[in-house]
């Protein structure tokens, strides 16, 4: 079929043509946004899930809802080596200037600009970003200027919230890959949202991260569980998968046979990223106006070649030889989660000896602990990839020099 008409969009963060299975979450997000604008208490939410379940796509859709509700928004991705303050300041500046342009200057907006000047100065943003944050105001000395984000960010977010409130609008902060934040930065975010709740400000935080994020947040601040909802994004049900496959095709007057749908669901296990990958390639190899199971068989070969050369290989290449050995041991034990002792035994070692390897893999976002003493991959189908490269007898990392 015509590849130009292909409605499917494989790719990190790409919004699929039919966002199936997330309607309840979007409904709840809309309620939170409206409550916060109305001055009512509203718990922000941080979605968790494995790679490929559509966390970034969900954040992007909620950002659209926030903009439609009149919110100012900023969308950032947490990076392991970059302090959160340096990431946020350009966005905070943009939003404060937008508030300044909305009408006659209010005292809350003027104070917000002064606090932002202090905040940027305290964090020495110029030395971090390589340029200064130009604001034609004097800093608010003694507020948000200590250089300690856990102290300064709550003051900064509070000033932003009061400024937005004076303009009868709200602010929605979106942080993707939030598990990459340092413990100090994560604590600062939690403390800032605690301040928002206490003062009843129209600020909402929407975050997303890997499953172990919930335990990281609990370790950072024990009261965090009362500030946020933690919806889990998992694979789609068979009915939701069928909707995600058939609805976009129907708009182009194309259909999947029941056997084709069943095969895609079986192979992808319902993970949205893989659904888009298989549907995209199946469309391109199909003839006529029906996608058959045979088309899925061809698409499987193409999809696996594409994923093995990019999606899986990129993650495998980040691992040390010892970490690869640990992952191979997990793969040999089969699908699902495995006890730490079983993995260590498979490696011919003791649990205590390989515990540092497991800890590093968790920090790298390759594995997580679904239950005490258990370990599972954060990347769906990764064990199948490891089986394939083991069968071929080649190490993809050998060509990454």
């Amino acid at each position: 079929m015509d590849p130009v008409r292909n409605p499917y969009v494989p790719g990190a963060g790409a919004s699929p043509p039919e966002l199936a299975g997330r309607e309840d979450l979007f409904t709840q997000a809309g309620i939170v946004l409206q409550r916060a604008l109305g001055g009512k208490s509203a718990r922000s939410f941080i979605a968790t899930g494995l790679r490929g379940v559509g966390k970034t796509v969900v954040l992007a859709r909620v950002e659209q809802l926030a903009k439609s509700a009149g919110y100012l928004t900023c969308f950032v991705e947490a990076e392991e080596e970059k302090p959160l303050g340096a990431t946020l300041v350009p966005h905070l500046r943009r939003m404060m200037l937008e508030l300044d342009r909305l009408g006659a200057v209010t005292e809350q907006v003027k104070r917000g600009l002064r606090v932002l000047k202090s905040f940027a100065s305290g964090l020495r943003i110029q030395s971090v970003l390589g340029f200064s944050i130009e604001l034609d105001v004097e800093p608010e000395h003694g507020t948000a200027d200590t250089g300690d984000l856990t102290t300064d960010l709550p003051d900064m977010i509070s000033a932003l919230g009061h400024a937005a409130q004076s303009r009868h609008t709200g602010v929605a902060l979106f942080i993707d890959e939030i598990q990459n934040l340092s413990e100090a930065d994560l604590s600062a975010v939690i403390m800032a949202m605690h301040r928002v709740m206490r003062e009843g400000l129209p600020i909402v935080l929407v975050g997303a991260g890997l499953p172990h994020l919930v335990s990281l947040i609990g370790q950072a601040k024990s009261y965090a569980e009362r500030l946020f909802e933690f919806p889990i994004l998992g694979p789609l049900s068979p009915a939701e998968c069928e909707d995600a496959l058939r609805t976009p095709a129907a708009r182009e007057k194309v259909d999947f046979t029941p056997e084709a749908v069943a095969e895609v669901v079986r192979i992808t296990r319902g993970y949205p990223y893989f659904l888009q990958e298989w549907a995209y390639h199946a469309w391109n190899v199909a003839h006529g106006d029906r996608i058959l199971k045979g088309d899925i068989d061809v698409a499987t070969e193409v999809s696996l070649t594409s994923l093995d050369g990019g999606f899986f290989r990129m993650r495998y290449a980040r691992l040390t030889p010892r970490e690869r050995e640990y992952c191979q041991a997990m793969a040999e034990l089969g699908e699902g989660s495995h006890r730490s002792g079983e993995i260590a035994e498979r490696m011919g070692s003791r649990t205590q000896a390989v515990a540092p390897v497991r800890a590093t893999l968790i920090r790298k976002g390759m594995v997580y602990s679904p239950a005490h003493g258990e370990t599972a991959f954060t990347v769906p189908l990764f064990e199948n990839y490891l089986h394939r490269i083991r069968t071929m007898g080649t190490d993809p990392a050998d060509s990454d020099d």
Side-chain angles (χ1 to χ4, degrees):
M1 286 187 282
D2 182 2
V4 175
R5 292 171 50 220
N6 193 329
Y8 304 101
V9 286
S15 183
E18 186 66 26
L19 197 49
R22 309 304 187 206
E23 295 83 0
D24 290 346
L25 180 55
F26 297 139
T27 298
Q28 184 58 33
I31 293 171
V32 168
L33 291 167
Q34 292 297 333
R35 284 183 61 85
L37 272 185
K40 296 181 175 63
S41 175
R43 287 206 289 182
S44 296
F45 72 84
I46 298 176
T48 65
L50 303 183
R51 305 282 185 194
V53 295
K55 299 185 294 297
T56 303
V57 170
V58 165
L59 290 194
R61 185 61 62 90
V62 177
E63 185 181 26
Q64 292 176 2
L65 294 176
K67 288 180 176 178
S68 297
Y71 275 75
L72 300 180
T73 70
C74 86
F75 194 117
V76 301
E77 179 178 326
E79 301 178 49
E80 293 178 6
E81 303 301 326
K82 188 173 182 180
L84 179 63
T87 300
L88 287 178
V89 162
H91 298 277
L92 295 172
R93 177 181 183 274
R94 172 182 54 79
M95 290 189 291
M96 285 302 313
L97 292 177
E98 287 181 18
L99 289 171
D100 188 36
R101 289 192 292 265
L102 283 177
V105 176
T106 67
E107 178 55 38
Q108 292 91 336
V109 172
K110 287 193 293 185
R111 182 176 184 276
L113 288 166
R114 295 196 303 269
V115 172
L116 176 57
K117 187 72 171 282
S118 296
F119 183 68
S121 176
L123 294 176
R124 296 177 174 83
I125 291 301
Q126 182 169 355
S127 63
V128 174
L129 296 181
F131 60 88
S132 62
I133 300 297
E134 296 295 338
L135 291 170
D136 190 21
V137 294
E138 291 298 317
E140 183 89 348
H141 293 298
T143 302
D145 59 1
T146 69
D148 177 1
L149 197 68
T150 57
T151 299
D152 295 346
L153 188 62
D155 285 343
M156 180 66 251
I157 295 300
S158 173
L160 175 63
H162 283 290
Q165 197 172 52
S166 75
R167 295 299 199 200
H168 306 290
T169 188
V171 172
L173 307 173
F174 295 84
I175 306 179
D176 199 7
E177 302 290 355
I178 201 170
Q179 78 280 344
N180 288 337
L181 294 179
S182 67
E183 184 174 354
D185 284 358
L186 188 56
S187 293
V189 170
I190 296 168
M191 293 171 70
M193 294 311 298
H194 192 206
R195 178 85 166 265
V196 164
M197 289 284 282
R198 289 203 324 266
E199 298 180 358
L201 300 174
I203 293 187
V204 173
L205 171 69
V206 184
L210 295 174
H212 67 284
L213 174 59
V214 177
S215 64
L216 293 177
I217 290 176
Q219 292 167 16
K221 291 294 176 185
S222 60
Y223 59 75
E225 63 183 28
R226 302 192 296 275
L227 291 177
F228 306 105
E229 299 284 354
F230 295 97
I232 299 173
L233 300 182
L236 303 181
S237 69
E240 291 165 345
C241 289
E242 184 170 1
D243 189 22
L245 292 171
R246 277 190 155 149
T247 300
R251 296 189 189 114
E252 300 291 337
K253 304 189 184 316
V254 173
D255 193 18
F256 282 76
T257 65
E259 296 78 14
V261 170
E263 182 66 1
V264 175
V265 174
R266 182 188 71 81
I267 295 172
T268 66
R269 302 183 198 167
Y271 285 98
Y273 177 84
F274 298 134
L275 282 172
Q276 294 297 309
E277 186 82 29
W278 259 258
Y280 176 81
H281 292 299
W283 175 285
N284 287 344
V285 302
H287 300 278
D289 58 2
R290 300 190 83 200
I291 296 177
L292 311 175
K293 181 182 178 299
D295 299 321
I296 304 303
D297 294 338
V298 177
T300 295
E301 296 181 27
V302 179
S303 296
L304 290 179
T305 299
S306 173
L307 292 168
D308 287 359
F311 182 79
F312 293 128
R313 181 171 177 262
M314 179 183 69
R315 287 160 175 80
Y316 183 81
R318 295 180 62 219
L319 306 180
T320 67
R322 188 65 167 161
E323 290 163 358
R324 292 170 193 157
E325 183 184 355
Y326 191 98
C327 289
Q328 280 288 359
M330 287 178 60
E332 290 168 10
L333 289 169
E335 298 178 10
S337 62
H338 306 288
R339 301 289 298 174
S340 298
E342 294 176 321
I343 300 169
E345 183 178 355
R346 190 80 182 185
M347 296 173 69
S349 187
R350 296 176 296 107
T351 302
Q352 296 86 341
V354 299
V357 180
R358 177 179 184 268
T360 302
L361 286 169
I362 290 175
R363 285 196 299 273
K364 287 184 175 182
M366 283 300 303
V367 304
Y368 74 107
S369 179
H372 180 69
E374 296 203 355
T375 308
F377 288 119
T378 62
V379 181
L381 309 184
F382 194 65
E383 66 275 6
N384 293 351
Y385 167 72
L386 294 175
H387 285 310
R388 286 194 295 276
I389 63 174
R390 189 178 185 87
T391 300
M392 290 186 296
T394 60
D395 190 332
D398 290 343
S399 59
D400 288 331
D401 296 333

